[in-house]
Amino acid sequence: MIELITGNKNKIEESLRRIFISFDPFKPEIKNAKLLTLILFPTDGYHLTEKQYSSLIQTISAVGNAEFYISETEWEPDPFSKGHHWYCNNPTFEEYSEISIGVENAIYSIEGKWGILISHELHALMFSDAQFVKLFESEYLNSRKDKEEFLRNWRAIKKSGVKTDWLDGLVKILHN
């Protein structure tokens, strides 16, 4: 089930800000430096792929809570004044993929224990504790391949002269 949130957004903003200081998927800032980071690449535009999404659902179900939020985060100066936000309770991939999202967004736990930033450059960054990462990686066997493919792709782009000064900083925070 997915519901568009139209009323008071204080609760969802509080949940999102428990994880993220900045919503920039190229230079993310998180509240808890102990959280680990995974990269998912490529995504399906502004959505996770079916395998990425089903692995996320399996992981959050395993930790005991299938509820989460999705928020459009690209709106300046504040995504809570302009962006759309959804409450989700164990939605199917079909329900998730039908959400009309055309900007960078975040998928995150209500409790603020994990979060994913999805970029317009077809990558997503997952932040969570070691237990969550381990569970996710057991469901999503492509995590190492995604990181390698992401780095190969952006190093090739860098060689073509495109400005990628954000890449080295991002690589430093990725979970090995």
Side-chain angles (χ1 to χ4, degrees):
M1 170 191 77
I2 297 178
E3 292 178 18
L4 180 65
I5 298 170
T6 57
N8 186 334
K9 297 180 179 92
N10 290 341
K11 184 177 176 183
I12 57 174
E13 181 175 6
E14 184 180 297
S15 291
L16 186 61
R17 294 196 186 277
R18 280 187 198 132
I19 306 165
F20 300 107
I21 297 169
S22 145
F23 312 124
D24 184 343
F26 300 94
K27 295 179 183 176
E29 294 178 67
I30 58 173
K31 291 243 177 168
N32 182 349
K34 293 180 182 179
L35 294 181
L36 300 179
T37 309
L38 288 178
I39 192 149
L40 308 175
F41 180 82
T43 58
D44 186 11
Y46 291 108
H47 288 82
L48 298 176
T49 66
E50 185 170 7
K51 182 60 182 156
Q52 292 163 347
Y53 180 78
S54 64
S55 298
L56 174 64
I57 293 299
Q58 292 294 334
T59 303
I60 62 177
S61 295
V63 297
N65 193 347
E67 296 177 300
F68 57 92
Y69 293 124
I70 299 174
S71 290
E72 295 177 331
T73 56
E74 194 169 351
W75 300 109
E76 294 293 333
D78 176 19
F80 292 94
S81 63
K82 188 172 182 180
H84 291 97
H85 309 272
W86 295 267
Y87 165 78
C88 304
N89 188 348
N90 201 27
T92 66
F93 178 74
E94 290 72 27
E95 291 171 318
Y96 165 71
S97 62
E98 288 175 2
I99 298 173
S100 179
I101 300 176
V103 296
E104 292 175 349
N105 63 90
I107 303 171
Y108 53 101
S109 76
I110 290 172
E111 302 84 13
K113 294 184 178 182
W114 59 267
I116 298 172
L117 292 175
I118 300 179
S119 162
H120 68 277
E121 295 286 0
L122 303 179
H123 75 269
L125 299 173
M126 174 187 283
F127 299 91
S128 58
D129 64 23
Q131 177 189 6
F132 193 92
V133 167
K134 186 176 180 178
L135 284 168
F136 182 81
E137 288 180 321
S138 71
E139 293 292 334
Y140 186 68
L141 303 178
N142 289 347
S143 63
R144 188 160 302 283
K145 180 179 152 273
D146 281 12
K147 179 181 175 182
E148 292 166 3
E149 189 174 342
F150 172 81
L151 293 173
R152 187 172 36 256
N153 177 67
W154 278 101
R155 287 180 177 142
I157 291 170
K158 185 177 183 176
K159 284 181 183 176
S160 73
V162 173
K163 186 177 176 184
T164 59
D165 53 342
W166 54 269
L167 186 58
D168 291 338
L170 186 60
V171 168
K172 287 178 185 175
I173 68 168
L174 295 177
H175 171 64
N176 293 321

